[in-house]
């Protein structure tokens, strides 16, 4: 479904009702029109997107000068990663974080999603099962020795620590992970969200880390995965979402695994797969879920659903 929306301020989190276990899609594609003073990155931030999201969805639109009334696609349709729906899930291939808040009695479960910036190719963000173990407000950045030594080649007076303030790359809030030296934190350079820009830490827009900092309980599990292919149902339609694997120089990987995911998803009922559409989605790798199959419903199935 295509929605039209206009927003003038940085967006709060995208919060969705958590679908039942047989469904995996959240959100909908949106369309907006730019104004004369917008950049594509301004639009991305207002609509909870990163650089990778907005640029892949709008390859023909100028990044800095999209112009007045230029249609801009907001790719706010997502397949949940294939991992238990709890705590934080960070999908490196997607440059996106999913948060499953604790559910109070009587409340419906939800999922919250944010775009992120992650480690450069030579300093990749590690995968694995971690936990959020501490919270820091207005953190001081203690510059790692390798970074300090490199920067002192140009500036011999480069400090060993950066105090809180506009020059601090950690921003206002930081969440410490159980793996030493790795954080989820804000940033003083929000244009880097949706890029491989850090030395391994995970960056969020300042308004997003403030929300997550407030709502995330300590000891929450943090699962960091890399899933360039995601497959999931929305009702009777099967979708595929494909992202480039930047840690492998932009190439996706393991097509056989993707095929196994599709086959696994079609075990409950007869499904017709559009394999040429699968090929096109793999080729474009633009991160936008596309329908690739339709579950065939028989008369007995329909009668059972109605009852």
């Amino acid at each position: 479904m295509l929605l039209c929306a206009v927003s003038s301020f940085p967006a709060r989190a995208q919060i969705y009702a958590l679908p039942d276990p047989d469904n995996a899609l959240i959100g909908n594609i949106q369309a907006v029109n730019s104004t004369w003073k917008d950049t594509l990155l301004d639009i991305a931030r207002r609509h909870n997107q990163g650089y990778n999201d907005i640029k892949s969805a709008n390859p023909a639109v100028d990044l800095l000068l999209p112009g007045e009334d230029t249609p801009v696609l907001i790719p706010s349709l997502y397949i949940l990663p294939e991992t238990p729906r709890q705590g934080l899930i960070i999908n490196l291939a997607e440059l996106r974080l999913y948060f499953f808040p604790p559910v109070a009695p009587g409340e419906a479960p939800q999922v919250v999603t944010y775009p992120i910036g992650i480690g450069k190719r030579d300093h990749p963000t590690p995968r694995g099962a971690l936990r959020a173990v501490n919270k820091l407000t207005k953190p001081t950045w203690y510059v790692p020795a390798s970074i300090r030594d490199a920067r002192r080649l140009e500036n011999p007076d480069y400090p060993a620590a950066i105090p809180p303030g506009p020059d601090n790359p950690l921003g206002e809030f930081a969440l410490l992970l159980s793996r030493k030296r790795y954080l989820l934190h804000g940033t003083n350079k929000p244009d880097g969200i949706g890029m491989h820009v850090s030395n391994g830490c995970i960056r969020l827009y300042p308004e997003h880390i403030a929300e997550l900092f407030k709502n995330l309980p300590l000891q929450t599990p943090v699962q960091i995965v890399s899933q360039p292919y995601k497959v999931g149902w929305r009702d009777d339609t099967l979708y595929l979402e494909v992202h480039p694997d930047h840690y492998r120089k932009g190439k996706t990987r393991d097509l056989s695994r993707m095929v196994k995911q599709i086959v696994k998803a079609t075990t409950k009922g007869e499904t017709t797969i559009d394999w040429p559409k699968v090929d096109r989605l793999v080729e474009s790798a633009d991160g936008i879920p596309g329908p690739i199959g339709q579950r065939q419903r028989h008369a007995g199935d329909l009668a059972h659903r109605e009852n």
Side-chain angles (χ1 to χ4, degrees), residues 43-57:
I43 297 171
R45 187 172 178 182
R46 287 203 298 267
H47 294 278
N48 204 15
Q49 305 293 305
Y51 168 86
N52 61 317
D53 303 309
I54 204 74
K55 191 59 184 171
S56 293

Side-chain angles (χ1 to χ4, degrees), residues 29-68:
I29 301 296
Q30 304 177 63
V32 301
N33 288 333
S34 62
T35 70
W36 65 270
K37 60 182 179 179
D38 278 329
T39 69
L40 212 53
L41 295 178
D42 295 331
I43 297 171
R45 187 172 178 182
R46 287 203 298 267
H47 294 278
N48 204 15
Q49 305 293 305
Y51 168 86
N52 61 317
D53 303 309
I54 204 74
K55 191 59 184 171
S56 293
N58 301 275
V61 179
D62 189 278
L63 183 68
L64 298 179
L65 295 170
E68 180 76 14

Side-chain angles (χ1 to χ4, degrees), residues 39 46 67 78 115 141 148 152 168 191 215 238 258 273:
T39 69
R46 287 203 298 267
Y78 316 101
W141 183 43
R148 186 173 67 248
R152 281 182 174 174
N168 189 314
D191 287 353
N215 296 319
L238 185 64
M258 178 201 68
I273 299 297

Side-chain angles (χ1 to χ4, degrees), residues 135-294:
K135 295 182 177 184
L136 299 177
T137 302
K138 296 186 181 301
T140 294
W141 183 43
Y142 295 96
V143 187
S146 59
I147 299 175
R148 186 173 67 248
D149 292 345
R151 295 188 180 181
R152 281 182 174 174
L153 294 175
E154 298 180 359
N155 178 7
D157 297 324
Y158 195 85
I162 307 293
D167 296 327
N168 189 314
L170 302 184
E172 294 286 310
F173 303 99
L175 293 160
L176 277 66
L177 299 179
S178 53
R179 183 162 178 168
K180 189 177 180 181
R181 293 179 55 201
Y182 288 97
L183 315 172
L184 279 80
H185 61 79
T187 179
N188 62 344
K189 296 180 180 180
D191 287 353
I193 300 302
M195 297 183 186
H196 295 73
V197 290
S198 79
N199 288 286
C201 290
I202 297 156
R203 301 181 181 181
L204 293 90
Y205 285 127
E207 60 273 17
H208 290 169
I209 188 62
E211 291 181 0
L212 192 62
F213 189 92
K214 176 181 177 182
N215 296 319
L216 184 79
L218 289 180
Q219 302 306 319
T220 293
V222 179
Q223 186 73 26
I224 304 179
V225 300
S226 183
Q227 296 182 6
Y229 304 108
K230 297 191 293 177
V231 177
W233 289 96
R234 173 169 274 180
D235 299 325
D236 289 334
T237 303
L238 185 64
Y239 287 79
L240 171 66
E241 180 180 333
V242 182
H243 296 269
D245 189 341
H246 290 279
Y247 286 155
R248 292 172 59 89
K249 298 182 179 179
K251 298 178 181 179
T252 50
R253 59 181 179 179
D254 202 351
L255 285 172
S256 62
R257 181 179 178 184
M258 178 201 68
V259 172
K260 289 178 181 178
Q261 288 177 264
I262 294 172
V263 172
K264 179 182 176 182
T266 61
T267 56
K268 296 181 179 179
E270 183 181 343
T271 306
T272 302
I273 299 297
D274 184 345
W275 291 106
K277 180 65 177 293
V278 171
D279 290 340
R280 291 194 295 273
L281 288 170
V282 170
E283 181 65 25
S284 65
D286 61 8
I288 301 175
I292 60 168
Q294 194 73 24

Side-chain angles (χ1 to χ4, degrees), residues 14-20 23-29 75-81 85 94 96-100 110-113 230 233-234 241 289:
Q14 288 177 307
I15 303 174
Y16 301 100
L18 187 65
D20 65 67
N23 287 278
L25 269 78
I26 57 174
N28 290 289
I29 301 296
S76 48
L77 176 66
Y78 316 101
I79 300 176
L80 295 175
R85 298 175 179 181
E94 188 181 0
R96 184 160 287 273
L97 177 155
Y98 296 88
F99 173 40
F100 300 85
Q110 296 180 321
V111 56
V112 186
T113 183
K230 297 191 293 177
W233 289 96
R234 173 169 274 180
E241 180 180 333

